Amino acid sequence: MLEDLARAWATGDPLLQTTMAVAMVAIAGLAFVNVTLLIWNLGQMASFRKSPAYQKLRTTNGESQLTTLPLAIAMTLNVAFVLGLASMAQRGTNAEGVPSLTIIVRLMTALGILTLRVTHGMGEHFGAHAAPGDYVWILSGHLGVQIAFLLFGAAVLRAQGYFGRFVTGPEATAVSAR
């Protein structure tokens, strides 16, 4: 796909190049707006959770609206993931460093444990108990990110022939040295 874009950029007329440049600027601009609005929304949600209106919402069918926050976070991760993929596709990857793509799995594990401990601690010490279903949403989001990065890492490892080269093959890296 990126080869097609590079070829279109290199051989296209000025109108096509201008259109492509506008699209790239628009994508970067929309990604910035997305992150900015997500941060603002997270701040608003933190304030809203302290209000009586939030407690009232939790007792109605309108509670389903609260599922939009994890979705918004997931969409922002998708934006970052796509932009990162585009960068890797344009510049390539260093075969020896490919396993580091899965570092997010370990980070999300630690973040999940931290989130659960803080949430539990807030409930025990400050009476801010999470609703019974909150833990499912939190852990599902973490697990989704972990699975996505495991699949992505596995695809890149396979494309690079990492196992055949460094694990079972003759080449060695600092990670796979025998």
Side-chain angles (χ1 to χ4, degrees):
M1 179 173 122
L2 287 175
E3 295 85 14
D4 296 332
L5 290 173
R7 187 173 28 260
W9 181 264
T11 62
D13 60 53
L15 179 60
L16 178 61
Q17 291 174 336
T18 301
T19 303
M20 290 175 71
V22 168
M24 286 187 267
V25 169
I27 290 168
L30 290 171
F32 175 77
V33 169
N34 178 276
V35 170
T36 302
L37 289 175
L38 178 65
I39 292 168
W40 179 82
N41 276 306
L42 289 171
Q44 293 296 309
M45 186 62 181
S47 297
F48 180 61
R49 281 187 172 172
K50 297 174 185 170
S51 72
Y54 175 77
Q55 297 306 321
K56 183 178 178 186
L57 178 67
R58 296 297 304 241
T59 63
T60 69
N61 288 338
E63 180 183 24
S64 64
Q65 296 175 19
L66 298 175
T67 63
T68 59
L69 185 59
L71 179 61
I73 293 169
M75 292 299 105
T76 301
L77 288 173
N78 284 338
V79 168
F81 190 60
V82 168
L83 292 177
L85 274 175
S87 175
M88 287 179 66
Q90 287 174 341
R91 295 179 181 83
T93 58
N94 180 335
E96 293 86 357
V98 171
S100 66
L101 293 174
T102 61
I103 189 75
I104 193 72
V105 174
R106 293 181 290 281
L107 293 174
M108 290 304 293
T109 300
L111 185 60
I113 293 167
L114 171 71
T115 302
L116 288 176
R117 290 183 69 150
V118 168
T119 303
H120 178 73
M122 294 295 285
E124 290 298 314
H125 297 291
F126 301 108
H129 295 283
D134 285 350
Y135 291 116
V136 173
W137 285 110
I138 292 168
L139 294 177
S140 295
H142 284 80
L143 182 61
V145 171
Q146 289 175 315
I147 290 170
F149 273 89
L150 278 174
L151 292 173
F152 172 62
V156 176
L157 285 166
R158 184 172 186 201
Q160 292 277 354
Y162 185 86
F163 289 99
R165 290 175 60 191
F166 301 108
V167 177
T168 61
E171 297 181 57
T173 69
V175 176
S176 69
R178 299 180 255 294

